[in-house]
Amino acid sequence: MAENTTDPAGTSTSAADLATGRWVLDPATSSVGFRHKSIWGLVTVKGTFTTVSGEGEIDADGRGHGTLVVDAASVDTKKQKLDTHLRSADFFEVEIYPTITFSADSIVADGSGGAQVSGQLTVRGKTRPLTFTAQVAAASPTDVTLTGEVGVDRNDFEMAWKNPGGSMRGIATVTLKTRFTQA
């Protein structure tokens, strides 16, 4: 685990103090967002999912595992027409696949203020492996905030909408800020 450092408010920035047991996501202080280059890389589409839930567990050996669930219909780009299109069969197909789920099989502190996260991402009924590094933004014995950024290829989940001119291709960047409190 990383060396313990404390900011002036007394919040640790290491996962070293985390207690074993069950942890629950605080949806009010957590967010899942995304950005994707479109229109030949000239415009970046940005949005968030406004409804997220999750839980996890830290085992006696310090390793963790858990689940993050995103309500796909809660996608919000601040553009109603775009949000409606993202909910359609061209993208998330929320009528059939209402949730996006990440099941973290392994969360291991890496000794540098971060954690290696490995698991399975399920979008539109397709499950693919996903591994990334999360940073510990703040930690105390009763709460931890993890942040991260990961690239996701929409083609892996059959979300390769073929619009005229092919302006929506490539990797989408997913941003995470997840705050868990001890249950």
Side-chain angles (χ1 to χ4, degrees):
M1 294 263 175
E3 184 177 312
N4 221 2
T5 58
T6 306
D7 69 19
T11 303
S12 171
T13 56
S14 169
D17 295 332
L18 299 181
T20 60
R22 186 169 174 266
W23 293 72
V24 178
L25 183 82
D26 178 1
T29 58
S30 299
S31 64
V32 175
F34 64 89
R35 66 183 182 274
H36 190 284
K37 293 277 187 185
S38 67
I39 309 177
W40 308 282
L42 300 174
V43 175
T44 300
V45 175
K46 296 178 185 178
T48 60
F49 293 94
T50 60
T51 305
V52 296
S53 62
E55 63 181 19
E57 188 166 335
I58 297 176
D59 299 326
D61 65 1
R63 294 177 176 266
H65 57 90
T67 303
L68 178 68
V69 179
V70 175
D71 177 355
S74 74
V75 65
D76 183 8
T77 63
K78 307 294 185 215
K79 297 176 176 90
Q80 185 176 15
K81 187 174 179 181
L82 176 57
D83 293 346
T84 299
H85 190 205
L86 290 173
R87 291 180 188 110
S88 77
D90 287 336
F91 291 97
F92 294 111
E93 199 167 5
V94 300
E95 295 295 322
I96 297 173
Y97 308 105
T99 60
I100 299 166
T101 304
F102 179 68
S103 296
D105 304 320
S106 174
I107 305 168
V108 180
D110 65 11
S112 66
Q116 297 304 309
V117 181
S118 298
Q120 303 292 318
L121 177 64
T122 302
V123 181
R124 290 177 51 123
K126 312 291 183 275
T127 301
R128 304 290 183 261
L130 184 67
T131 300
F132 63 97
T133 300
Q135 295 301 312
V136 178
S140 76
T142 59
D143 68 64
V144 62
T145 300
L146 300 171
T147 61
E149 195 170 276
V150 61
V152 175
D153 189 340
R154 295 177 315 122
N155 290 322
D156 289 345
F157 302 97
E158 297 180 10
M159 292 179 23
W161 178 55
K162 305 281 192 264
N163 65 328
S167 63
M168 288 291 287
R169 294 185 191 168
I171 305 295
T173 301
V174 177
T175 56
L176 304 164
K177 178 184 173 199
T178 55
R179 179 174 177 263
F180 289 87
T181 58
Q182 191 173 26

